[in-house]
Amino acid sequence: IVYNAPWAANAVEDGTVSIYFGQGCFWHVQNQLVQQEMKVLGRQGAAITARAGYAGGIETGDKGKVCYHNRQGAPDYGKMGHTEVVNVVVPEDKVGEIGKSLLDDAAGSIFGRHDPQDFGPEYR
């Protein structure tokens, strides 16, 4: 998935906000956000909105794809300017709580991310 969204979170008519978080490898961030959706919003199963993807790049590869680092020489999202992100949709009144939880967790980790091997332009 390649997310192409404005820098600011956008409120939609139903009172929810679509937010994009990037903090190193998206798998850990996605797990944290799923946990917050369950704990703070009471969501389960198909109601979970946290989705991992790529954002911020200025290029895509063949057929619009952005691929992970690989030995086949396929398009590399980091070299195309993309970063790993997780999108989550939350009610406007819960944005601060969800964001604070994620940022507080990051503050407790070395370099602000859980995997210190996450380095390079794709992890910002």
Side-chain angles (χ1 to χ4, degrees), residues 30-44:
Q30 183 180 31
N31 181 60
Q32 287 180 286
L33 288 170
V34 166
Q35 297 302 315
Q36 288 302 306
E37 283 191 86
M38 292 188 310
K39 178 181 173 186
V40 175
L41 305 176
R43 293 180 178 163
Q44 297 291 321

Side-chain angles (χ1 to χ4, degrees), residues 19 21 23 32-33 36 39-40 88 90-109 112 114:
I19 308 169
F21 290 98
Q23 181 211 350
Q32 287 180 286
L33 288 170
Q36 288 302 306
K39 178 181 173 186
V40 175
V88 64
V90 300
E92 287 182 83
D93 65 340
K94 297 294 183 182
V95 170
E97 187 173 354
I98 298 285
K100 182 178 183 329
S101 172
L102 190 68
L103 294 174
D104 284 350
D105 188 62
S109 300
H114 285 277

Side-chain angles (χ1 to χ4, degrees), residues 4-110:
N4 184 9
W7 291 102
N10 292 319
V12 293
E13 290 180 18
D14 66 358
T16 62
V17 178
S18 181
I19 308 169
Y20 296 84
F21 290 98
Q23 181 211 350
C25 180
F26 48 38
W27 300 122
H28 181 82
V29 176
Q30 183 180 31
N31 181 60
Q32 287 180 286
L33 288 170
V34 166
Q35 297 302 315
Q36 288 302 306
E37 283 191 86
M38 292 188 310
K39 178 181 173 186
V40 175
L41 305 176
R43 293 180 178 163
Q44 297 291 321
I48 300 291
T49 64
R51 302 288 183 264
Y54 305 97
I58 55 172
E59 298 178 48
T60 59
D62 296 341
K63 301 177 186 172
K65 293 186 177 183
V66 178
C67 296
Y68 197 78
H69 302 290
N70 55 72
R71 294 182 183 176
Q72 292 77 28
D76 180 317
Y77 68 93
K79 291 179 181 172
M80 291 187 273
H82 294 280
T83 191
E84 294 188 9
V85 298
V86 178
N87 173 247
V88 64
V89 178
V90 300
E92 287 182 83
D93 65 340
K94 297 294 183 182
V95 170
E97 187 173 354
I98 298 285
K100 182 178 183 329
S101 172
L102 190 68
L103 294 174
D104 284 350
D105 188 62
S109 300
I110 191 166

